[in-house]
Amino acid sequence: MRCQKCRQKAVLTISRSNAKYCKPCFFETFSVQVKRALTKDKMVTLEDRILIAVSGGKDSLALWHILVESGYQTAGLHVDLGIGSYSESSRQKVEKFAEKYGQRLYTYRLKEAHQMGIVELSEATDRSPCSACGTIKRYHFNRFAMEHGYTVLATGHNLDDEAARLLGNVLRWQQEYLNKQSPILEGNEGGFVKKIKPLYRLSEYEVAAYSFLKGIDYVVEECPMSQSSPMLIYKKALNLIENHSPGTKHQFYLSFLENRKTAPTGSGSMEMRSCTICGEPTSSVSSVCGYCKLIVRLPGYTAPLHEKAL
């Protein structure tokens, strides 16, 4: 098996494009896809200060790695969810990466803030662990970026993540989420930092191959709380189709983005308000953000006077 670019021995095959690459040519192809997203899609400039949401998994660490290699100003923010040995291992992987590449790392520890981990917090608020986790991470990633002067928040969502999210939104025809689904969400003066997903053109397999071949030490195990997540079901369904028709996921998501340029799914503008509890921005008609709606359910929570908005 020969590399299609240089005819040296190939080390992997990308089925969706039926392309075979040696290690150097795969790295070059991977880098071209990321840089295309960063520059052609106008995600960032070299002057931006980029905060990367890092979990310790392959996606976020691969993203951090290639942004550092490309000369961008970066720092990482890790949310320690307090899930026993899994969270401990995840935090250690992120800390080792930051130390190896001389990058600044911030860590938010859920147990220090709320005296409980995500499992106990989800039970106390009667929310699924994935739902509570997403709400908490989105809140703190945005708040932290704004408070520390980062101009862009980057996440490691890949093509598989975005295609699965799109499938879920289409199946339930969630118009509001379809309107907002994009690899770029511009920031605004109302308190939201710009959010980007530079790996959206690359499959989970390609990101895993990049991480492995670059020698990035990451957490291989999936989060133990994610086993019942609908996203995993959507991914399995798409993988089944992809096996029969390579390139389906790529075409599904990128065609959605392309068609939306000429046939928008609806207005992307939302009326923003300040949360009456924490002051962070929210589009909720109740003027209470999702994070505060979650946190006020915790036992022992002392409600401020303005919580009457709930």
Side-chain angles (χ1 to χ4, degrees):
M1 187 171 74
R2 295 290 175 184
C3 172
Q4 68 177 52
K5 296 184 73 174
C6 70
R7 306 309 298 165
Q8 297 297 310
K9 182 180 179 181
V11 296
L12 80 167
T13 299
I14 307 300
S15 58
R16 66 178 169 85
S17 55
N18 194 28
K20 301 172 180 60
Y21 296 112
C22 65
K23 188 187 292 187
C25 289
F26 171 66
F27 290 153
E28 180 183 358
T29 301
F30 190 95
S31 178
V32 165
Q33 291 298 314
V34 176
K35 289 179 179 176
R36 176 177 175 176
L38 293 171
T39 58
K40 188 175 180 180
D41 295 343
K42 300 179 180 178
M43 288 185 170
V44 293
T45 68
L46 288 173
E47 285 69 43
D48 276 309
R49 297 181 69 227
I50 307 172
L51 183 66
I52 304 171
V54 282
S55 64
K58 63 184 184 310
D59 303 304
S60 57
L61 291 183
L63 173 61
W64 202 357
H65 185 276
I66 198 165
L67 289 178
V68 170
E69 277 199 337
S70 302
Y72 288 96
Q73 306 173 61
T74 68
L77 174 59
H78 175 69
V79 174
D80 185 331
L81 297 170
I83 311 176
S85 59
Y86 173 78
S87 288
E88 185 176 344
S89 177
S90 299
R91 190 184 67 254
Q92 290 174 353
K93 301 291 186 188
V94 174
E95 290 174 346
K96 286 181 180 178
F97 182 97
E99 182 179 1
K100 181 177 181 180
Y101 293 97
Q103 297 295 299
R104 187 167 189 175
L105 173 67
Y106 306 94
T107 301
Y108 177 83
R109 292 177 171 82
L110 205 58
K111 282 195 171 180
E112 289 184 4
H114 300 291
Q115 293 73 54
M116 62 180 74
I118 192 65
V119 176
E120 297 81 11
L121 190 148
S122 65
E123 289 174 352
T125 57
D126 196 26
R127 293 274 293 273
S128 73
C130 290
S131 174
C133 176
T135 298
I136 287 171
K137 283 184 173 179
R138 285 191 296 273
Y139 178 86
H140 288 294
F141 287 148
N142 184 75
R143 178 187 62 79
F144 196 90
M146 295 296 293
E147 290 180 357
H148 290 78
Y150 290 93
T151 53
V152 178
L153 173 65
T155 60
H157 293 93
N158 57 48
L159 175 65
D160 291 50
D161 298 323
E162 293 305 293
R165 189 180 309 279
L166 177 58
L167 178 60
N169 289 338
V170 169
L171 289 175
R172 296 175 181 274
W173 204 250
Q174 295 176 300
Q175 188 68 58
E176 180 183 355
Y177 293 148
L178 286 168
N179 291 344
K180 292 193 294 186
Q181 184 166 2
S182 169
I184 307 173
L185 289 176
E186 295 293 344
N188 59 49
E189 295 181 353
F192 282 119
V193 70
K194 182 177 182 178
K195 300 177 179 65
I196 63 171
K197 301 173 182 177
L199 302 182
Y200 79 95
R201 303 183 64 86
L202 294 153
S203 70
E204 190 166 305
Y205 172 74
E206 290 166 273
V207 177
Y210 177 87
S211 299
F212 176 76
L213 294 173
K214 283 288 186 179
I216 297 172
D217 186 16
Y218 63 87
V219 175
V220 177
E221 299 81 10
E222 293 285 348
C223 174
M225 307 311 300
S226 68
Q227 299 307 311
S228 59
S229 169
M231 288 291 288
L232 291 184
I233 304 299
Y234 300 146
K235 283 188 175 183
K236 288 180 180 177
L238 285 169
N239 285 338
L240 181 63
I241 300 172
E242 182 79 16
N243 288 337
H244 285 275
S245 181
T248 296
K249 283 184 280 191
H250 190 267
Q251 187 171 15
F252 179 49
Y253 184 56
L254 297 192
S255 294
F256 162 74
L257 295 179
E258 189 63 30
N259 284 317
R260 198 170 59 174
K261 294 178 182 177
T262 54
T265 53
S267 172
S269 62
M270 294 183 295
E271 182 181 354
M272 301 304 299
R273 308 169 178 84
S274 294
C275 174
T276 53
I277 295 179
C278 69
E280 291 293 307
T282 177
S283 60
S284 171
V285 294
S286 67
S287 295
V288 177
C289 72
Y291 177 78
C292 287
K293 288 178 181 176
L294 177 73
I295 295 304
V296 297
R297 297 184 182 184
L298 293 177
Y301 173 79
T302 302
L305 292 176
H306 49 245
E307 191 192 318
K308 292 178 180 177
L310 277 176

